[in-house]
């Protein structure tokens, strides 16, 4: 059994993930409760490189997709794990203790989407000096409207 | 005997002549100029062939083109038609308007010098656009007194390169353009400076620092603003985090249009400034209103600070950092703690992309990392092609490879120069930055632009290489190989340089992997990982190249890895030009409002700094629903750098920092 088959086997059977392939990337969609378990499992399987943690704002479905991408040497396997959380309660378990770079990526996602990563104590502004009133990357914040308003202010 | 002596003397002269023939480029000033098309400078409009369709105004991502009404015809049959009017204080010279023009009546020329004391002068109505551009030296004004004359000839400049324009300021301060011939030198302290050079877009965070520097400068003070962003937001006009007009905060004397303006344009601005100052001009009246919002937070010592320790802010206005800041806690000369402070360049690219169509975004994506723009547009187009299911022609794949490799070479040369500066080795800085101009010249020939090429739209490439391009390239490569050997003698094998960099900032293999380091940085730590091999894209599969790896993982070997990669990139370009297949260069993509079916795509490429990932999500519309850019620098700088700096000397901080080859624009996005 190859490394990828083993991972697929575990994630599909144990964590009931949905599987799809996107060119080089193996995508798994898990439930919110299994998100941390999937991360833990992948970390134990020596997926050492954590590429990104980010989110997508599906405002019409009233959901946030939170996902991360990891990579494994030397087999060169990319895995993306995605989960959905309600927009009304944007909270998810933090995976910052599993990879050294995950904490700061969660901090960036928190700043841009106001999604709370439970367990990560370092959620404070990273790029901005003050906490913004409205999360800049959320869909309800229309930058073009904001620009027009700033013109009329002067 | 005499013959031998003569031969000896002749050989010395021959050697000297050969060296001078290959010397770094320093441009003549004022530049020689004949109007030519196929470049990315000021537009010209042929009013007779213009069909008044307004496509150019619609495609312009910066809303720089407006259709204005003109009446035409004799009294009997008067009709109202519309012509484009271009505001060059907004135009970013991306050439999308020229590409879309159905009659090709709108063209671009190589006239790129636009300097004015009032931004209204950049608004060119169609009648002005119809005239061919001319290059006129600023008018010399009368000298009023010895004091003004002396002042105008010794301007001390405070550089604050806040954004992309940094890249064209490199040749401006370096040997490529050599600003010292205008009597200007770089002031290290605002209290000694006469001129403040603001380069590029200004974010909410940076503007406070600019005001602080401006306030510290003694009177009379002059401000030169580079690029379109300080005039009205430029390319990031709808970003939530950039300020739109810098003269709402500090007065600006001279504006330079361009994105980024070429170094010649900076030269013209400086000559104009000298003329005005010798005529008695003493700058505009100060109008800084320091509201609470614009005040800088004080750098207070932390409560639990050891009495022996001090807080040392390092950046963001520092020649050793770029627009990036480190808060160092030091004990004497030793760094005990380092905290990176990022976000000075945060424009919110990922959301800006949501407001532009799939096609228009090609203008935006390069600007994520100005130092290696070619890689960023390639990765974006690959992701869009994946989403839209387009197969691009073979020839386009090879041309993309050539452009990406040139982009990599110029980025590595820039980094060698920055490392030279950080180690106090300014000879190296001037040699590499001067040589880099040769590569930029080739890129200019190939794509029409030095920095932002806008060359890879989804579907292929915009233009084919000119006929004599192969010969030019081969000549440059042959000469460059000799130069690289020179680099080794002067720089790489230099014991002083080795003493500064060997065993410094050691990054062990396991730490490098765990911190998601890629590119030359991880290859210097013993990991043979290169996306060009792991997931071959463009034409890399058919080309033969080595990936230099080392085990040591220190600053020296990271630098040597880059030096060797330059040579491999030349090999790739040579092979690509040799194997270049004939055929079309662009597959059909659809209009600029082309819709792309629902789905998502992830593309990976090897940029000069490491693995670059684009994650694009489409909901079936004509612009991305969500775009995520994973650049190579975020982990290296925000997470790893503070760990590497603990226990080093303050003087080694810039060396370690530049040995990682940071691009602040990449991690801030």
């Amino acid at each position: 059994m190859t490394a990828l088959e083993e991972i697929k086997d575990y994630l599909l059977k144990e964590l009931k993930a949905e599987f799809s392939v996107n060119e080089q990337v193996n995508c798994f969609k898990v439930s919110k409760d299994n998100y941390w378990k999937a991360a833990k499992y992948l970390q134990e399987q020596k997926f050492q490189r954590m590429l990104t943690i980010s989110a997508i704002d599906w405002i019409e479905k009233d959901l946030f997709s939170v996902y991360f991408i990891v990579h494994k040497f030397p087999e060169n396997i990319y895995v993306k794990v995605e989960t959905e959380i309600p927009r009304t309660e944007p909270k998810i378990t933090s995976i910052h203790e599993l990879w050294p770079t995950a904490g700061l990526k969660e901090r960036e996602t928190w700043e841009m989407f106001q999604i709370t990563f439970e367990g990560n104590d370092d959620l404070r502004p990273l790029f901005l000096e003050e906490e913004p009133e409205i999360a800049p990357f959320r869909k309800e914040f229309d930058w073009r409207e904001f620009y027009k308003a700033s013109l009329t202010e002067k | 005997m005499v013959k031998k002596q003569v031969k000896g003397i002749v050989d010395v002269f021959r050697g000297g002549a050969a060296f001078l023939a290959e010397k770094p480029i320093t441009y003549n000033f004022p530049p020689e100029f004949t109007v030519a098309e196929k470049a990315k400078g000021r537009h010209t409009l042929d009013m007779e062939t213009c069909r008044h369709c307004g496509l150019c105004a619609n495609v312009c991502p910066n809303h720089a083109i407006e259709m204005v009404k003109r009446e035409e015809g004799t009294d009997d049959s008067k009709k109202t038609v519309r012509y484009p009017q271009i505001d060059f204080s907004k135009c970013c010279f991306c050439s999308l308007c020229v590409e879309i023009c159905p009659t090709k009546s709108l063209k671009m020329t190589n006239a790129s010098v636009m300097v004015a004391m009032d931004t209204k002068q950049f608004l060119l109505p169609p009648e002005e656009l119809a005239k061919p551009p001319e290059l006129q030296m600023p008018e010399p004004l009368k000298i009023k007194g010895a004091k003004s004359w002396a002042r105008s000839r010794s301007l001390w400049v405070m550089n604050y390169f806040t954004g992309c324009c940094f890249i064209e300021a490199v040749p401006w301060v370096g040997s490529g353009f050599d600003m010292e011939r205008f009597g200007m030198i770089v002031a290290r302290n605002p209290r000694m400076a006469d001129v403040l050079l603001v380069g590029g877009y200004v974010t909410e965070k940076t503007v406070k620092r600019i005001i602080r520097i401006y306030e510290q400068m003694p009177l009379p003070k002059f401000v030169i603003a580079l690029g379109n962003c300080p005039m009205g937001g430029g390319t990031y006009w709808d970003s939530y985090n950039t300020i739109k007009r810098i003269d709402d905060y500090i007065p600006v004397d001279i504006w330079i249009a361009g994105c980024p303006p070429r170094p010649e344009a900076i030269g013209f601005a400086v000559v104009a400034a000298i003329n005005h100052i010798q005529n008695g001009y003493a700058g505009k009246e100060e109008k800084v209103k320091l509201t609470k919002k614009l005040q800088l937070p004080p750098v207070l010592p932390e409560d639990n600070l050891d009495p022996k320790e001090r807080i040392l802010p390092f950046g963001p206005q520092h020649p050793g950092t770029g627009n990036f800041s480190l808060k160092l806690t030091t004990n004497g000369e030793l760094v005990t703690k380092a905290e990176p402070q990022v976000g000075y360049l945060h424009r919110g690219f990922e959301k800006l992309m949501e407001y532009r169509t799939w096609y228009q975004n090609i203008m935006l994506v390069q600007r994520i990392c100005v130092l290696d723009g070619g890689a960023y547009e390639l990765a974006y187009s690959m992701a869009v092609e994946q989403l839209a299911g387009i197969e691009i022609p073979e020839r386009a794949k090879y041309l993309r490879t050539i452009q990406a490799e040139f982009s990599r070479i110029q980025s590595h040369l820039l980094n060698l120069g920055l490392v030279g500066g950080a180690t106090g080795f300014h000879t190296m800085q001037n040699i590499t930055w001067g040589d880099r101009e040769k590569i930029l010249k080739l890129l200019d020939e190939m794509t029409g632009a030095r920095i932002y090429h806008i060359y890879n739209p989804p579907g292929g490439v915009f233009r084919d290489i000119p006929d004599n391009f192969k010969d030019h390239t081969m000549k440059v490569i042959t000469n460059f190989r000799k130069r690289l050997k020179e680099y080794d003698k002067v720089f790489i094998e230099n014991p002083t340089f080795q003493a500064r960099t060997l065993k410094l900032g050691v990054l062990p293999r396991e730490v490098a992997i765990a911190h998601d380091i890629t590119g030359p940085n991880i290859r210097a730590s013993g990991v043979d990982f290169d996306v060009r091999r792991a997931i071959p894209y463009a034409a890399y599969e058919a080309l033969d190249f080595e990936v230099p790896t080392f085990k040591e993982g220190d600053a020296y070997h990271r630098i040597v890895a880059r030096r060797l990669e330059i040579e491999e990139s030349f090999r790739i370009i040579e092979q690509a030009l040799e194997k270049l297949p004939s055929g079309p260069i662009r597959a059909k993509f659809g209009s600029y409002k082309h819709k792309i079916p629902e789905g998502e795509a992830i593309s990976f490429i090897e940029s000069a700094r490491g693995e670059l990932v684009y994650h694009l999500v489409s909901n079936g519309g004509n612009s991305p629903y969500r775009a995520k850019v994973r650049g190579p620098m975020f982990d290296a700088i925000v997470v790893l750098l503070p760990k590497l700096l603990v226990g080093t000397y303050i003087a080694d901080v810039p060396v370690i920092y530049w040995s990682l080859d940071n691009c602040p624009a990449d991690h801030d996005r």
Side-chain angles (χ1 to χ4, degrees), chain B residues 21 219 405:
Chain B
L219 284 166
E405 288 307 317

Side-chain angles (χ1 to χ4, degrees), chain A residues 11 15 17 21 31 33-35 37 50 65 68 73 85 91 96 99 107 109-110 115 125 133 135-136 147 151-152:
Chain A
L11 288 174
L15 300 182
V21 179
S31 71
D33 301 332
N34 286 337
Y35 172 79
K37 282 182 203 158
M50 148 62 61
S65 289
F68 64 84
F73 283 124
I85 55 171
K91 278 181 190 166
H96 74 281
W99 288 278
R107 186 171 151 193
T109 312
W110 170 83
I115 293 171
E133 282 164 29
Y147 169 68
L151 288 185
T152 49

Side-chain angles (χ1 to χ4, degrees), chain A residues 22-25 48-59 67 69 71 73 76 78 80 82 100-101 104-105 108 112-113 124 126-130 136-139 141-144 146-147 154, chain B residues 205 208-209 237-238 240-241 244 248 342-343 346-348 350-352 354-356 386 510 513-516 518 529 534-535 600 602 604 611 613 615 617 625-626 628 630 634-635 638-639 667-669:
Chain A
N22 194 330
E23 302 252 326
Q24 293 90 15
V25 188
Q48 286 174 310
R49 285 180 56 223
M50 148 62 61
L51 268 69
T52 188
I53 300 176
S54 195
I56 305 170
D57 183 359
W58 296 104
I59 191 164
Y67 66 91
I69 304 175
H71 177 243
F73 283 124
N76 202 24
Y78 287 95
K80 175 175 165 243
E82 189 182 349
T101 63
L104 269 145
K105 285 165 181 163
E108 191 199 331
M112 293 302 152
F113 289 95
R124 59 199 163 92
L126 178 69
F127 293 145
L128 309 171
E129 265 179 330
E130 283 151 31
F137 280 13
R138 284 200 183 194
K139 287 280 175 188
F141 184 5
D142 190 333
W143 287 11
R144 294 262 161 120
F146 180 75
Y147 169 68
K154 285 159 198 163
Chain B
K205 209 169 171 175
K208 300 176 189 172
R209 274 86 186 167
W237 60 274
D238 51 350
Y240 79 110
N241 195 36
K244 303 303 176 277
D248 290 343
V342 292
H346 175 65
R347 295 143 280 175
E350 293 162 9
K351 187 136 170 176
L352 285 176
E354 293 171 16
Y355 287 104
R356 286 152 181 80
Q386 201 179 315
E510 291 310 311
I513 296 174
H515 284 80
D516 189 20
T518 44
F529 177 69
I535 317 165
E600 59 183 282
I602 307 177
F604 300 85
E611 188 184 37
V613 184
H615 179 205
V617 181
Y625 185 77
R626 165 96 173 110
K628 169 76 194 165
R630 183 267 179 209
F634 185 85
D635 301 311
V638 186
V639 190
H667 58 65
D668 288 351
R669 275 162 278 130

Side-chain angles (χ1 to χ4, degrees), chain B residues 534-552:
Chain B
I535 317 165
Y537 56 92
Y540 287 108
E541 206 158 17
L543 305 172
D544 170 44
F545 60 98
E546 302 274 320
V547 179
T549 42
F550 296 98
K551 286 200 182 79
E552 289 81 350

Side-chain angles (χ1 to χ4, degrees), chain B residues 180 210 371 381 449 461 491 523 638:
Chain B
E180 284 171 13
I210 293 182
L371 306 185
S381 287
V461 295
F491 192 44
R523 294 196 282 270
V638 186

Side-chain angles (χ1 to χ4, degrees), chain B residues 256-534:
Chain B
I256 309 172
C259 189
R262 292 168 72 110
E264 292 96 324
I266 311 177
F268 271 77
V270 164
V271 172
I274 289 174
N275 284 342
H276 279 92
I277 294 168
Q278 72 178 16
N279 192 33
Y281 180 75
K284 285 178 185 164
E285 214 169 288
E286 197 169 334
K287 64 167 180 183
V288 178
K289 273 187 231 126
L290 210 58
T291 54
K292 206 179 170 194
K293 213 183 136 197
L294 293 173
Q295 264 163 8
L296 272 180
V299 187
L300 286 176
E302 280 160 31
D303 294 340
N304 53 356
L305 199 70
D306 193 289
K308 281 183 199 156
E309 291 186 330
R310 295 281 178 277
I311 302 273
L312 180 71
F314 191 82
Q317 203 290 325
H318 190 288
T321 59
N323 200 356
F324 163 80
S325 170
L326 278 164
K327 189 173 157 193
L328 303 177
T329 310
T330 55
N331 182 352
E333 278 285 298
L334 277 177
V335 177
T336 51
K337 197 184 150 198
E339 196 188 318
Q341 294 180 334
V342 292
Y344 295 99
L345 290 97
H346 175 65
R347 295 143 280 175
F349 259 102
E350 293 162 9
K351 187 136 170 176
L352 285 176
M353 283 163 81
E354 293 171 16
Y355 287 104
R356 286 152 181 80
T357 67
W358 295 104
Y359 180 73
Q360 281 175 337
N361 267 327
I362 194 63
M363 160 303 279
L364 193 66
V365 288
Q366 287 216 334
R367 288 165 167 84
I368 295 173
C369 173
V370 61
L371 306 185
D372 181 28
Y376 283 73
E377 57 174 15
L378 173 57
Y380 170 76
S381 287
M382 276 166 53
V384 176
E385 283 149 14
Q386 201 179 315
L387 261 177
I390 301 173
E391 188 61 41
I392 70 162
E394 270 307 297
R395 190 176 172 86
K397 283 185 188 170
Y398 277 79
L399 292 176
R400 282 180 170 190
T401 311
I402 295 169
Q403 185 229 11
E405 288 307 317
F406 272 133
S407 186
R408 185 189 317 278
I409 294 168
Q410 64 87 16
S411 169
H412 284 351
L413 284 171
L414 182 80
N415 179 255
L416 287 181
L418 288 166
V419 170
T423 47
F425 202 157
H426 292 280
T427 314
M428 194 59 203
Q429 188 172 340
N430 280 329
I431 291 176
T432 47
W433 287 1
D435 281 343
R436 182 173 159 266
E437 293 299 307
K438 294 177 188 170
I439 307 294
L440 292 185
K441 231 178 167 180
L442 286 176
L443 275 170
D444 197 359
E445 235 175 88
M446 181 180 180
T447 66
R450 281 158 59 91
I451 307 299
Y452 290 139
H453 318 131
I454 325 287
Y455 187 64
N456 291 320
V461 295
F462 268 136
R463 56 170 90 178
D464 213 329
I465 49 171
D467 298 334
N468 46 9
F469 183 74
K470 194 177 163 188
D471 298 337
H472 284 186
T473 312
M474 289 308 185
K475 213 172 154 189
V476 170
I477 291 179
T478 322
N479 282 337
F480 232 108
R481 289 213 167 109
K482 287 184 209 154
R483 293 291 292 179
L484 286 173
K485 295 219 172 77
E486 204 104 322
Y487 287 12
D488 290 345
K489 275 189 226 156
V490 179
F491 192 44
I492 306 287
E493 289 160 15
N494 184 326
T496 320
F497 176 70
Q498 288 181 346
R500 274 309 295 277
T501 50
L502 268 172
K503 296 192 179 134
L504 181 72
V506 178
L507 178 58
R509 184 192 145 96
E510 291 310 311
V511 178
I513 296 174
H515 284 80
D516 189 20
I517 306 301
T518 44
N521 293 340
I522 203 173
R523 294 196 282 270
S525 292
V527 183
D528 186 3
F529 177 69
D530 188 318
V531 186
R532 289 176 291 179
R533 273 194 188 158

